[in-house]
Amino acid sequence: MTIHREGTATITLVFVLLALINGAVFYWLASSPLLCWTVFGISVVFFLFIISFFRIPSRSMEHGEGLVIAPADGKVVVIEETFEPEYFKDKRLQVSIFMSPANVHVNRNPISGEVKLSQYHAGKYLVAWHPKSSTENERHTVVIGNGNQEILVRQIAGALARRIVNYLKAGMQVKQNEEMGFIKFGSRVDIYLPVGTRVDVALEQTVRGGQTVIAKLG
């Protein structure tokens, strides 16, 4: 396991703040050792929890032409046909993955191909499962085309997440499972596929980024 570079500043800041808090507690409340060590224990647990947000576990990746691989860890919360208004402007099959604070937060390219669109949108911070979060929350939309099909991947911030990072630019050639971006403290990733695409996951199924096959493109 390694720590993602997006976590360096946050982890350092949290460490410094916790060190100052514990230093003050042990200095001013030295007569209450139980309280001091309780604060220290809570600080350690909280610090380890923050580190876990930015972990990148070692894992074997799934690859395959025509396969759509999960771009994120989490739970499948939506599988439905819906209208996609930003790029396709027609009906698409939407598959949504909810990322809890305990999940790995790095996002990966579900297919290889050329980046057709990479667009950031400022917005609200509705809870990730809110029906309007896909169109009203802070989000970043990416479209990747492989010459035969195009799929859209949308990173969506939620009530807890406050920063979406995306590394892709229009015109780039990307490879399946390479890093697409990062959502700090989790949220949701939507995938829009052609109607009729065979989906290989079910609602409430737990998926792993870079490993779980979401669908097979025709």
Side-chain angles (χ1 to χ4, degrees):
M1 185 186 76
T2 58
I3 302 300
H4 199 280
R5 61 187 181 277
E6 295 295 342
T8 302
T10 300
I11 291 171
T12 301
L13 176 61
V14 170
F15 178 81
V16 171
L17 289 175
L18 291 177
L20 292 173
I21 290 172
N22 279 268
V25 168
F26 274 84
Y27 181 80
W28 294 106
L29 301 175
S31 59
S32 303
L34 180 59
L35 176 60
C36 291
W37 287 108
T38 299
V39 172
F40 178 77
I42 293 173
S43 298
V44 170
V45 171
F46 179 71
F47 184 65
L48 293 175
F49 189 49
I50 292 297
I51 289 177
S52 74
F53 280 127
F54 300 100
R55 72 192 186 280
I56 306 178
S58 299
R59 60 178 57 164
S60 298
M61 302 293 183
E62 184 73 33
H63 295 84
E65 187 176 351
L67 300 182
V68 179
I69 309 299
D73 285 29
K75 181 183 290 187
V76 178
V77 293
V78 174
I79 302 176
E80 65 181 15
E81 286 188 16
T82 187
F83 183 81
E84 196 295 301
E86 181 178 356
Y87 181 82
F88 295 115
K89 296 180 173 59
D90 63 11
K91 272 198 169 185
R92 294 281 145 167
L93 179 60
Q94 177 184 339
V95 179
S96 298
I97 300 169
F98 173 71
M99 304 164 61
S100 77
N103 287 128
V104 175
H105 292 43
V106 63
N107 299 150
R108 301 184 180 277
N109 302 318
I111 65 171
S112 299
E114 181 183 350
V115 178
K116 304 291 185 179
L117 174 73
S118 182
Q119 181 65 53
Y120 170 79
H121 302 273
K124 301 177 181 178
Y125 294 97
L126 303 172
V127 290
W129 54 85
H130 194 287
K132 293 185 178 180
S133 63
S134 291
T135 55
E136 294 189 10
N137 275 22
E138 179 189 8
R139 59 202 181 278
H140 195 112
T141 300
V142 168
V143 177
I144 302 174
N146 63 6
N148 298 313
Q149 301 277 9
E150 293 181 337
I151 70 169
L152 184 151
V153 184
R154 182 171 290 132
Q155 300 167 284
I156 302 170
L160 186 62
R162 281 296 185 270
R163 189 184 173 200
I164 295 175
V165 180
N166 191 282
Y167 307 126
L168 305 188
K169 304 293 183 184
M172 290 176 61
Q173 293 290 330
V174 297
K175 292 183 179 179
Q176 194 173 54
N177 296 329
E178 287 182 343
E179 285 190 23
M180 176 181 72
F182 199 96
I183 306 179
K184 292 194 174 182
F185 303 108
S187 192
R188 176 172 145 179
V189 177
D190 290 348
I191 312 163
Y192 290 85
L193 307 164
V195 173
T197 298
R198 170 184 159 185
V199 175
D200 288 346
V201 292
L203 284 174
E204 303 299 315
Q205 179 178 335
T206 299
V207 299
R208 302 182 75 182
Q211 286 191 323
T212 306
V213 177
I214 296 293
K216 293 181 174 66
L217 297 173

